[in-house]
Each structure stands twice: as C-alpha cells, then as structure tokens.
C-alpha cells in the first residue's frame, strides 16, 4: 500500500522530528506531518528565538558595565530590528538543518494538518489533504499553544495587536516604551530580561506571591531583587481584572491586590500565563483516548491507552520542555522497536535563561518530604569559585544541594549564576545515578571553573 507506513508522526517539533529520525534509522518507514514549519514552537517561536535575543542583550550589558572590569567602551545601543533579522536567520538555518536531517534519514515529510480517523485491521488511520494513511504506530507530537485567559478586554487587545503571545512578540521590529507582562513564569521573565536590557520600561504582573513558578524560593527571591535593581517592576499577588485600550497601540492592564485597584500603562502587553497541550481537532475522540483535561495520558514509555498510539512532548502535559520532548520521542521509538526504555522524569533539568541564569534538577526539600523522604538542603555561594569572582563583579549566585539524609544520595541541585545552564547537566547525571556525597567528592572537576562549587559543597555536608 502506497500510503501504508510503520510509523506516522503528527507534529514536527523536537519530539516529532527526533523520533522520526530515530525510527527511520531503526529501519521503520516513517511519515511526518507538520502543518507549519519543522522545529515546532521551540525552534520557531520559543527556545531558539528567545536565546538569540537574549544573547544580543548580554553583549549590550557587557558594553554597559565594562568599566567594572577595567574596560571603557563608548556609548552603546541596540538595533532591535537587526536583532530580529539575525533571529530569523538563525531560525531559518536551523529549520533547514532539520529538513536535511529528515531527508537524510529517509523520512517522508508532508506539510499539512493531519488528524486521526479510526482503526482498520492494518493499523491506525490518519487523514490529511483528503488522503488517508495507515500505520501500525502513530506518535502524537502536536505540542502546545499559549493560553489567552478570559480576562475582559484581553481578546480584543490581542485582535488589535496591543496584546501579544510569545509567538508575535518575537517578530515585532519596534521596541515598546512600556511593556506589561501578564505572568511571571519562565517565558515572561526571559522576555522581561531582554526588554529591560535594551532600555524598556517593564512591569511584570503575577498572581502568585513569587516569580518563576516552582523555582526554589530563595533563588526566585534573588532573581527578583536582581531585576528590581535594574528597574523591572513586579506586582506580585496581583490579579489582572481587565485590559483597556484607549487608543491604537496604547492601553492599560487593570489589576487588583488585597481589594485595591491599580492599573499599568502599556504600549505592548505580553500574555504569558502558561501553555496547554494542542489536542483539539486531531481526532482523539475517534479512538477513545484517555485524557487528563487537555493532556493525553501516557506511561513512562510514551504509550497511550490505545494500542499502537503513542504521545511525546508537550501534548502529554508532563514537563513542557524541548529536551523532555526529545527524550520522550526516542523512548517511544525504542519501545516500538522492541528495546525496553523509559523516561526518568526525576532527573530532567530546567533552565531560565535570564542574566543571571537559573537552573535546577531533581527534588527540593519540600517535594522530597511529599515523597516520604527526609532531606536537607545545603547552600554554597558561587564565590567559592575563583573563576566566578574573576568574571562576576559583585556577583551573589549560589548553589543549593538537596541530600537524602538517610542514604546521603544527591536528590536535587538548584542554582542561580553564571553558566548555570551549562553546569546543570552534570548535576542531572549525578541525580539520575543516585550518586552519594562521597561519590561526588571523588570526581575531579576542572579548575578554575564555576562547576567545581558542586564538589566544594559536598565537603561541607
């Protein structure tokens, strides 16, 4: 059958394209559907675009503060339109690279929206562009989308362009004078970091009493204080009650805290209140797939409740991170190929790419307690690192190490400071392998480096 495959993948983001390549190299005949551009949210409107902007902001910050390091630089400025142009170039290069990988692996890629239509004796059926396709295995990788909450006036502001999500803001070529960000999570903070560095007046409105969601409280507090010193305003424990647009491109975010009304002026509003799995209109009801609200329920191997149907990435609602999606996709493929594999969700790191960076992996003392584990946290200043002191004038970053008190195994690492995003993978490996304090003490770390603070901390426990 011309339209019969071993695996059909719905969605060409990190979970989808990585799984498709792995499956093809494993000998499977693979078809991948992507309705927009290969690379998904991460590559086109998330991880990579934001990092491109943030790197430009970091260079600008270096020029502004060079005097503290004995380097005097003339007046510096940023050309935001050129930053966006470079972002587009980076994205185009990487999207092309994904396409080349699919072609090289022999994956058939179809640019179309596809949906499940049922099951036949030959497998699960999928329809796209009026054609029907069949495969013994189907992998759902349809990703997630930004939530626009039902706040009075917000949808109208989105329609007019005053309010934007992460997708639209990364294509805006003009800098707003006053940016109001609804939501103090990862996306909101990274955007706040960029616009603060390039001179914008930034206000973050967050319903919770702390920023950065589940991030360690001491770390989120230091991050908040750092950005407050740079001029970012945080309205915490504050509810957004409405949005008013008084003229094109200008309006107010109406807020309330402890019964007192307030409003934030803005010529751009970023809606950053979370994401939800994209499961609507993909035909899940035709197969009776078990769901948890909008999320497709899967086990640690990627299996859904329907034989032959798998799911990976944001669509399962577990940990909405690109690297989680990569691993989930390859685990699903490994199991399709008869290789036993599972995702270890305990050791998946997360990063906030602000300046300073925030990174964490594993348990906190509180989450360990909920799991019935007696644990303790040990905080070590990054100033124990000679390199950190040399490169961070006045820096106050730290690492918090969480230990199982009974077995002295490493349960979690939480840090804020230089290179956190590059260091955390080592901590993730330690957590995954349940290394003891004594095991880490025996590892040799490069000197001088910031990461050696991890080893230093082990001798303080």
């Amino acid at each position: 059958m011309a339209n019969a495959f071993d695996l059909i993948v719905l969605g060409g983001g990190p979970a989808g394209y990585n799984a498709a390549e792995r499956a093809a190299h494993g000998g499977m005949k693979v078809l991948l559907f992507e309705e927009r551009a290969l690379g998904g949210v991460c590559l086109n409107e998330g991880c990579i675009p934001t990092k491109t902007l943030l790197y430009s902001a970091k260079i600008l910050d270096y020029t502004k503060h060079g005097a503290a390091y004995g380097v005097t630089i003339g007046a510096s400025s940023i050309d935001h339109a050129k930053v966006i142009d470079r972002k587009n170039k980076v994205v185009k290069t990487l999207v092309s690279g994904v396409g080349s990988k699919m072609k090289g692996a022999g994956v058939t890629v179809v640019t179309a929206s596809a949906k499940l239509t049922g099951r036949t004796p030959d497998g699960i059926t999928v329809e796209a562009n009026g054609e029907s396709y069949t495969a013994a295995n189907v992998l759902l990788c349809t990703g997630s989308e930004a939530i626009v909450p039902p706040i009075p006036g917000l949808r109208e502001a989105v329609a007019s362009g005053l309010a934007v999500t992460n997708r639209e803001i990364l294509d805006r070529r003009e800098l707003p004078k006053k940016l109001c960000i609804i939501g103090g999570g990862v996306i909101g903070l990274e955007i706040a970091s960029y616009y603060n560095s390039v001179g914008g007046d930034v206000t973050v409105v967050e319903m919770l009493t702390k920023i950065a969601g589940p991030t360690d409280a001491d770390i989120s507090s230091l991050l908040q204080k750092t950005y407050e010193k740079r001029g970012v305003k945080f309205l915490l424990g504050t509810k957004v009650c409405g949005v008013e647009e008084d003229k094109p491109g200008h309006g107010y975010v109406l807020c309330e805290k402890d019964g007192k009304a307030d409003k934030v002026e803005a010529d751009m509003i970023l809606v950053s209140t979370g994401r939800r799995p994209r499961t609507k209109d993909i035909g899940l009801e035709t197969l009776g797939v078990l769901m948890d609200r909008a999320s497709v329920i899967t086990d640690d191997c990627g299996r859904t409740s329907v034989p032959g149907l798998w799911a990976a990435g944001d669509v399962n609602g577990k940990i909405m991170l690109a690297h989680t999606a990569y691993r989930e996709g390859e685990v699903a493929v490994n199991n399709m190929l008869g290789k036993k594999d599972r995702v270890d969700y305990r050791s998946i790191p997360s990063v906030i790419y602000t300046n300073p960076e925030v990174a964490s992996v594993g348990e906190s003392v509180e989450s360990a307690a909920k799991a019935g584990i007696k644990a303790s946290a040990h905080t070590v200043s990054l100033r124990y690192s000679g390199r950190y002191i040399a490169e961070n004038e006045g820096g106050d970053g730290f690492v918090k190490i969480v230990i199982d008190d009974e077995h002295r195994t490493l349960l979690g690492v939480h840090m804020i400071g230089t290179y956190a995003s590059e260091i955390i993978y080592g901590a993730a490996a330690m957590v995954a392998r349940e290394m003891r304090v004594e095991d880490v003490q025996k590892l040799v770390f490069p000197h001088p480096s910031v990461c050696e603070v991890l080893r230093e901390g082990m001798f303080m426990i």
Side-chain angles (χ1 to χ4, degrees):
M1 294 174 62
N3 287 351
F5 293 83
D6 298 313
L7 171 64
I8 294 177
V9 181
L10 271 60
Y17 72 72
N18 189 54
E21 183 185 21
R22 294 284 193 276
H25 285 314
M28 300 177 81
K29 182 183 178 184
V30 184
L31 169 64
L32 184 150
F33 289 104
E34 170 53 53
E35 63 182 9
R36 299 186 69 202
L38 288 171
V41 169
C42 175
L43 181 46
N44 292 281
E45 56 197 55
C47 319
I48 300 302
T50 53
K51 302 311 144 321
T52 308
L53 268 63
L54 286 168
Y55 189 71
S56 292
K58 186 178 288 187
I59 293 174
L60 180 63
D61 287 338
Y62 285 152
T63 66
K64 287 179 179 178
H65 306 296
Y69 301 87
V71 180
T72 302
I73 301 173
S76 56
S77 62
I78 198 161
D79 186 330
H80 180 66
K82 287 187 177 179
V83 173
I84 296 299
D85 287 340
R86 180 172 181 271
K87 181 268 295 184
N88 291 338
K89 181 183 72 173
V90 169
V91 170
K92 183 178 179 181
T93 298
L94 294 174
V95 169
S96 176
V98 173
S100 295
K101 288 179 72 173
M102 296 300 95
K103 185 177 180 180
V107 175
T108 301
V109 177
V110 175
T111 304
S113 176
K115 66 186 298 183
L116 304 167
T117 53
R119 181 188 290 280
T120 70
D122 297 315
I124 297 171
T125 56
V126 173
E127 185 178 288
N129 291 337
E131 284 199 60
S132 184
Y133 303 82
T134 305
N137 295 284
V138 171
L139 179 61
L140 301 175
C141 303
T142 49
S144 63
E145 59 191 358
I147 296 172
V148 179
I151 296 170
L154 181 56
R155 293 191 181 278
E156 291 80 0
V158 170
S160 72
L162 173 63
V164 295
T165 67
N166 64 291
R167 173 182 292 180
E168 296 85 23
I169 199 168
L170 291 169
D171 283 328
R172 288 291 180 93
R173 301 177 68 82
E174 303 81 23
L175 288 171
K177 294 180 179 178
K178 294 181 180 291
L179 172 65
C180 181
I181 299 174
I182 302 176
V186 175
I187 296 172
L189 292 174
E190 291 185 356
I191 295 296
S193 177
Y194 174 76
Y195 280 95
N196 171 251
S197 290
V198 301
D201 182 337
V202 181
T203 301
V204 177
V205 183
E206 170 57 55
M207 189 160 55
L208 300 177
T209 55
K210 64 184 282 291
I211 61 171
T215 300
D216 176 86
D218 293 331
I219 288 177
S220 65
S221 176
L222 177 56
L223 185 64
Q224 179 183 334
K225 289 175 182 176
T226 300
Y227 275 92
E228 284 176 335
K229 288 178 183 177
R230 297 175 186 173
V232 176
K233 295 176 282 294
F234 293 93
L235 302 181
L236 305 183
T238 301
K239 179 183 178 181
V240 175
C241 303
V243 173
E244 289 183 353
E245 186 169 5
D246 58 347
K247 59 183 179 181
H250 185 273
Y252 297 89
V253 176
L254 310 180
C255 309
E256 181 184 295
K257 180 178 182 179
D258 299 329
K260 295 182 180 179
D262 195 2
K263 64 180 181 179
V264 180
E265 183 181 3
D267 47 20
M268 185 184 293
I269 300 166
L270 172 65
V271 186
S272 183
T273 52
R275 301 184 66 82
R276 63 171 161 241
R278 292 190 64 212
T279 52
K280 188 179 179 182
D281 298 328
I282 61 172
L284 293 172
E285 68 284 352
T286 64
L287 295 174
V289 182
L290 271 180
M291 307 282 291
D292 180 9
R293 296 186 180 180
S295 304
V296 176
I297 296 175
T298 63
D299 63 12
D300 290 350
C301 299
R303 297 185 186 91
T304 71
S305 60
V306 176
L309 184 67
W310 311 70
D314 289 3
V315 72
N316 67 26
K318 291 187 176 183
I319 301 178
M320 291 187 176
L321 297 171
H323 45 278
T324 308
Y326 281 131
R327 179 64 180 142
E328 288 174 336
E330 66 188 18
V331 164
V333 168
N334 282 340
N335 281 281
M336 291 176 206
L337 294 171
K339 304 173 186 176
K340 290 184 178 181
D341 200 0
R342 56 178 291 275
V343 181
D344 181 2
Y345 288 102
R346 301 170 306 161
S347 57
I348 292 178
S350 62
V351 179
I352 306 175
Y353 293 86
T354 44
N355 185 14
E357 294 180 342
V358 171
S360 63
V361 65
E363 305 284 359
S364 63
V365 171
E366 294 75 17
S367 66
K370 289 180 181 177
I373 303 170
K374 185 179 179 182
S376 56
H378 307 266
T379 300
V380 187
S381 171
L382 291 188
R383 295 182 68 79
Y384 278 94
S385 160
R387 184 179 182 186
Y388 182 79
I389 293 176
E391 296 183 357
N392 293 270
E393 185 70 21
D396 50 4
F398 62 87
V399 177
K400 185 175 286 191
I401 302 168
V402 180
I403 299 296
D404 181 324
D405 289 340
E406 180 181 357
H407 302 99
R408 288 178 63 80
T409 52
L410 184 62
L411 294 176
V413 173
H414 311 265
M415 64 184 302
I416 178 170
T418 312
Y419 310 120
S421 64
E422 300 292 345
I423 295 170
I424 201 64
Y425 88 94
M430 296 172 193
V431 170
R433 284 155 180 75
E434 299 180 342
M435 293 183 72
R436 299 171 302 152
V437 171
E438 292 75 15
D439 298 327
V440 182
Q441 288 174 347
K442 294 174 183 176
L443 296 178
V444 179
F445 287 70
H447 176 80
S449 63
V450 179
C451 65
E452 62 185 327
V453 169
L454 274 174
R455 182 175 184 270
E456 191 74 26
M458 295 299 168
F459 285 97
M460 299 179 182
I461 295 173

